[in-house]
């Protein structure tokens, strides 16, 4: 939004951002409900996420969408892993299961939106998305322990 908010993709980026804020609010609620300790690295991930989004937006709309595609593909996989574990569990809370399913579907929609808005035409698409995916996967793995 900071870089592309006033462009032709600005409204779509704002729509996706609003959904992300809903996801965060729900997860904050669930963290309290289930008394789960969030990662202590969350402030760092917030800064990194802003820098990544703004940095790729400086490459233009297609660069920002390439970032979206990369991040969302990792997040969809992460949610699917979580869903498999929850389904295997005998005492899964339906609210948690439904929230993760909805968020996974929203993230898949964001991924597909990125493709629709030209992500694959971004400069150095394969390299850019590969680096971003690696960073996201690494952040998830680190967050599981820290």
């Amino acid at each position: 939004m900071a870089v592309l908010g006033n462009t032709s993709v600005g409204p779509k980026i704002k729509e996706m951002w609003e959904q992300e804020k809903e996801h965060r609010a729900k997860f904050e609620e669930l963290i309290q409900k289930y008394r789960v300790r969030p990662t202590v690295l969350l402030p760092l991930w917030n800064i990194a996420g802003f820098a990544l989004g703004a940095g790729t937006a400086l490459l233009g709309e297609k660069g920002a969408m390439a970032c979206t595609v990369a991040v969302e593909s990792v997040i969809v996989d992460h949610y699917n892993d979580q869903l498999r574990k929850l389904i295997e569990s005998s005492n899964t809370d339906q609210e948690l299961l439904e929230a993760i399913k909805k968020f996974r579907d929203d993230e898949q929609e964001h991924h597909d939106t990125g493709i629709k808005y030209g992500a694959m035409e971004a400069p150095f698409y394969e390299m850019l998305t590969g680096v971003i995916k690696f960073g996201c996967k690494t952040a998830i793995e680190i967050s599981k322990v820290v």
Side-chain angles (χ1 to χ4, degrees), residues 45-76:
W45 300 151
N46 288 335
I47 293 166
F50 178 83
L52 180 62
T56 56
L58 291 172
L59 296 173
E61 295 175 4
K62 293 174 180 166
M65 291 301 168
C67 178
T68 298
V69 166
V71 170
E72 302 301 20
S73 68
V74 172
I75 298 303
V76 166

Side-chain angles (χ1 to χ4, degrees), residues 114-134:
I115 297 292
K116 177 182 169 186
Y117 279 80
M120 297 176 81
E121 300 166 26
F124 309 106
Y125 174 79
E126 291 296 329
M127 182 180 71
L128 179 63
T129 56
V131 168
I132 293 169
K133 287 177 183 180
F134 177 78

Side-chain angles (χ1 to χ4, degrees), residues 60-128:
E61 295 175 4
K62 293 174 180 166
M65 291 301 168
C67 178
T68 298
V69 166
V71 170
E72 302 301 20
S73 68
V74 172
I75 298 303
V76 166
D77 288 346
H78 179 59
Y79 281 156
N80 281 333
D81 289 343
Q82 290 178 327
L83 287 168
R84 277 189 286 280
K85 289 176 185 169
L86 287 170
I87 290 168
E88 290 170 4
S89 173
S90 60
N91 60 348
T92 298
D93 182 284
Q94 240 2 76
E95 177 188 20
L96 180 60
L97 194 64
E98 292 305 317
I100 293 175
K101 282 181 185 177
K102 180 193 181 319
F103 298 164
R104 187 245 352 244
D105 294 347
D106 289 348
E107 305 302 0
Q108 183 64 54
E109 181 183 320
H110 298 171
H111 171 278
D112 297 348
T113 296
I115 297 292
K116 177 182 169 186
Y117 279 80
M120 297 176 81
E121 300 166 26
F124 309 106
Y125 174 79
E126 291 296 329
M127 182 180 71
L128 179 63

